[in-house]
Amino acid sequence: MHWLTNLVGHAVISFAALMVSSAFAAELAIDLSSPEAASEWKMLDPTASIANGELVLDGRKAPSRAVFLPWEWGDVTLRASFYVEPAAEGVLACGFMVRLADASTYYYVHFDRAQAILVRSDIEQSWNEIRRASGLDKPAGAWHTGELTAQGDTLRVSLNGKLLYEAKDAKLHRGRIGFYASQGLVRVKNITVLGEATKAEGDLVVPAPLFRYVCEDAGAGGYEAFPDVCRLSDGRLMAVFYAGYGHVALPNEQLPKGGRISYCTSSDEGHTWSKAEVLYDGPDDDRDPSIVQLPDGRLLCSFFSLRKAQGKSPPWECLGSWFVESTDLGRTWSDPKLIAKDYYCSSPIRPISGGRLILGLYKESSNTAFGAVGISDDGAKTWRVVDIPNGGYRLDAETDVIELADGTLYAVQRDKMCFSISKDRGESWSVSQPIGFPGHSPYLHRTRDNIILLAHRLPHTSLHYSLDECQTWSKNVVVDQHIGAYPSMVNLKDGSVLIVYYEEGPGSSIRCKRFRATKDGIEWLAP
């Protein structure tokens, strides 16, 4: 049985006795061991359950969420003890949710490995960050006490009895409470809720998500990442991606040929996708694929490969950047052809005016890292490399290139996120300089309305847009709270844009979202 402590008279009142009432002001201690407990919680995911008087949320493969249904609060304090199982990978997060208007709209604090991040979720964007505290002493494998208070437009976050910060947000006013786990296995107990509760009306609404899955399991170990998408001449979309058992999948007993390149296609503008098939699987770890269809109809899939190397740290060596070619819309593929030895690639081959092909490359050593481009003037038969001056920055570049309206080439490079320009079609490049915001895995794309998009990782999966040919960039727009990213974009027939990206973490999958870019900003659309 649940028990309520009346805050005015300090009387103890049974929860069942108050079920006939429409409101009460009290501290509610939620008893997860009672016979009624299971009926009072809505498990939004099959990985959420109640066991041994605790909420058990298995978020290792996907977020696991549970919401308390009977009551809702305006001003509220949610307090609970939580325990995250230790693990080598993942953010190991436990989330506290308040003012849930529906399963997509609420405030939450994201207690991960060493941070407490206060966020507002809504139907368009699940990660509207409000404030964060970093560097916390919150090891996994120990019980902690978290607290989230919403009082008027003031939000407070505490951990283990210490107030971390106070912030303001006036978007949400009342709703239910709940918990979640992300990239970790979480247990929650000792749940108390303080505030004036009102009996909730109706079931919790679960809006359809604004993303769709391109692929959740390609059959190579359950880890899918680093996607790229293009439109084929027959109207279909093709998404290529890495498939393995982890972020690096060197050959082992589980996967004797290591990570491979897989693909899915869509005949309905990204609403549904075919079952994953193997595009290329060489003897090494083949990764970071990108896809383009040239004006002559050939498909080129570029990638780089890692080979297991004993006694090295990390234990692999780069075999360079390669591509395979198809002349029958992907039914068959050529043997791999070398583009550049000792260079990596993470973006597609870009056709530019005059028939030249440009591919963003990058090279790393213990002392430095910098971007480069591969150039081909004979339809990818031969390639030569031009390095881009890094300006003294270490740029683990993941270079991408776009041709501007005046013929200038604009290259973006990872980490500090620097840009460089070429006025001679890639033969020489300006010294790299910061673009103004950090990012990984940059991808440049021009919409039909000549808005240039720059999607990237950090924070999470994000994008900026430019209305003046990359002279200036908008504020950051978060695409998804997942940090995998390596995004790619393609224009859809109705003028909107499809962005494809990955989640990161054990069991990572490929997602896509649809949006419209205008001079007034980004509008997220139903998938």
Side-chain angles (χ1 to χ4, degrees), residues 68-129:
F68 188 63
L69 292 178
W71 303 92
E72 63 178 26
W73 291 261
D75 290 348
V76 62
T77 294
L78 175 62
R79 184 185 307 118
S81 301
F82 66 96
Y83 178 98
V84 184
E85 293 286 346
E89 297 183 348
V91 297
L92 306 184
C94 177
F96 288 42
M97 304 184 286
V98 300
R99 293 184 178 174
L100 282 98
D102 56 48
S104 296
T105 307
Y106 48 88
Y107 292 119
Y108 63 101
V109 59
H110 182 87
F111 290 112
D112 66 17
R113 286 180 181 269
Q115 300 181 103
I117 310 171
L118 181 63
V119 184
R120 184 184 70 253
S121 173
D122 57 43
I123 186 62
E124 291 190 350
Q125 180 51 254
S126 63
W127 190 278
N128 299 287
E129 185 171 326

Side-chain angles (χ1 to χ4, degrees), residues 477-526:
V477 178
V478 175
V479 176
D480 197 298
Q481 66 177 319
H482 284 281
I483 199 169
Y486 282 75
S488 174
M489 292 172 282
V490 64
N491 292 330
L492 299 179
K493 294 176 182 178
D494 66 356
S496 63
V497 177
L498 189 76
I499 182 168
V500 177
Y501 56 99
Y502 86 102
E503 296 168 342
E504 187 51 85
S508 174
S509 300
I510 308 298
R511 293 184 173 193
C512 65
K513 291 183 74 171
R514 191 168 70 94
F515 66 92
R516 194 175 304 279
T518 72
K519 60 182 179 62
D520 296 318
I522 302 298
E523 175 191 3
W524 296 105
L525 305 173

